[in-house]
């Protein structure tokens, strides 16, 4: 039965890899660290099938684990990681990702964390509201209202800068 579980883990991870990577990049601000986090997450799950055997939604577990890892990494390395909008290497400042990252980070630093998490999962992770509710273990109306309130704040900020 281990082979079938391995195939399931591999299939889900491969299907979600790009989305997980983008989400980690935007949470951490560094592509190399994001790649390391994903690799460590996959190895952790792969090497401990008993721990994940009781998980009914492995996809949501992957996203929640990724978000928790990013939060823990920020907490444990506060001296090494600069705030979200300053953690971009200068040598690649012309790269599309870094331009996009800076613009998003500038706006997102003004959004409460719980709203930011929902917005990132929806826009960067490409997740449905139902998926986000499952990943964050929240009621669907809470997820939708966090998204709406966060987007409203972003609109107000954009409108204020256009005046």
């Amino acid at each position: 039965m281990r082979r079938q579980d391995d195939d399931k883990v591999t299939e889900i991870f491969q299907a979600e890899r790009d989305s997980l990577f983008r989400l980690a990049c935007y949470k951490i601000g560094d592509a190399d660290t994001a790649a390391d986090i994903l690799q460590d997450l996959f190895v952790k799950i792969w090497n401990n099938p008993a721990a994940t055997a009781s998980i009914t939604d492995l996809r949501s577990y992957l996203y929640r684990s990724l978000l928790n890892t990013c939060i823990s990494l920020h907490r444990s390395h506060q001296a090494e990681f600069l705030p979200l909008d300053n953690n971009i290497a200068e040598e690649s400042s012309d790269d599309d990702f870094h331009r996009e990252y800076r613009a998003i980070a500038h706006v997102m630093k003004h959004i409460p964390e719980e709203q930011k998490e929902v917005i990132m999962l929806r826009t960067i992770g490409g997740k449905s509201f139902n998926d986000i509710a499952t990943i964050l273990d929240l009621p669907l109306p809470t997820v939708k209202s966090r998204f709406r309130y966060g987007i409203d704040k972003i609109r107000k900020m954009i409108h204020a800068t256009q005046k």
Side-chain angles (χ1 to χ4, degrees):
M1 180 101 114
R2 168 69 188 196
R3 183 76 242 155
Q4 184 180 7
D5 292 341
D6 289 350
D7 291 345
K8 181 180 175 186
V9 168
T10 301
E11 179 184 324
I12 291 171
F13 206 85
Q14 286 177 343
E16 298 296 325
R17 182 182 49 222
D18 291 343
S19 181
L20 288 163
F21 179 71
R22 272 193 315 277
L23 185 60
C25 283
Y26 281 97
K27 288 292 281 181
I28 297 298
D30 179 71
D32 292 336
T33 304
D36 290 344
I37 289 170
L38 283 181
Q39 181 177 343
D40 291 347
L41 180 60
F42 180 75
V43 169
K44 174 182 160 188
I45 291 170
W46 183 267
N47 287 334
N48 196 359
T52 57
S54 63
I55 296 170
T56 56
D57 188 350
L58 189 56
R59 183 171 277 115
S60 293
Y61 176 81
L62 282 172
Y63 279 91
R64 187 73 247 160
S65 295
L66 174 70
L67 291 170
N68 288 338
T69 301
C70 291
I71 289 167
S72 295
L73 189 61
H74 270 292
R75 286 182 185 150
S76 65
H77 293 91
Q78 284 181 350
E80 293 177 34
F81 288 107
L82 297 172
L84 186 64
D85 58 334
N86 293 325
N87 194 31
I88 302 298
E90 288 299 319
E91 65 270 6
S92 57
S93 62
D94 291 330
D95 182 59
D96 286 342
F97 167 77
H98 292 94
R99 278 194 304 274
E100 182 179 299
Y101 178 89
R102 274 195 219 73
I104 292 169
H106 177 72
V107 171
M108 295 297 279
K109 72 180 178 181
H110 301 289
I111 306 296
E113 190 62 36
E114 65 272 0
Q115 293 170 5
K116 186 185 314 183
E117 207 167 54
V118 171
I119 291 169
M120 291 179 83
L121 283 167
R122 178 78 172 147
T123 58
I124 297 167
K127 296 295 158 201
S128 70
F129 288 121
N130 285 327
D131 288 343
I132 296 168
T134 302
I135 290 167
L136 299 178
D137 194 26
L138 293 170
L140 182 60
T142 301
V143 169
K144 288 180 176 182
S145 65
R146 286 181 181 181
F147 183 81
R148 187 182 75 243
Y149 292 137
I151 294 299
D152 287 347
K153 288 177 186 176
I154 291 169
R155 284 185 182 130
K156 287 176 186 174
M157 285 186 283
I158 291 170
H159 182 71
T161 60
Q162 291 176 346
K163 287 185 174 183

